[in-house]
Amino acid sequence: MDRSYIMPKLNRNKLYIAHLFKSVDEGYPDIERIEYFVKLGKTYCEFYTDPDLQE
């Protein structure tokens, strides 16, 4: 089975949405989903919690 992964090309002119899933308790009964907006820079990226890129 081939487990290699090819990184997709990302466009700096686009805004990406990322979802972080986090367990609230160790037993996994509740899972919290946090949404981030990702803006790419030249050698880095910035994460925001609002679509207006203010926070």
Side-chain angles (χ1 to χ4, degrees):
M1 177 174 21
D2 183 16
R3 294 184 181 240
S4 62
Y5 179 77
I6 298 172
M7 183 68 178
K9 298 274 185 186
L10 300 176
N11 187 338
R12 288 192 193 124
N13 297 322
K14 289 187 176 181
L15 182 65
Y16 293 91
I17 298 175
H19 293 142
L20 170 68
F21 294 92
K22 159 177 134 170
S23 173
V24 178
D25 296 322
E26 286 187 28
Y28 299 100
D30 296 319
I31 295 179
E32 180 181 0
R33 183 185 73 148
I34 304 169
E35 186 173 76
Y36 291 101
F37 298 89
V38 183
K39 182 178 177 185
L40 300 176
K42 188 171 184 178
T43 59
Y44 61 92
C45 63
E46 296 175 347
F47 292 86
Y48 298 92
T49 56
D50 67 325
D52 296 325
L53 308 180
Q54 299 299 315
E55 296 179 28

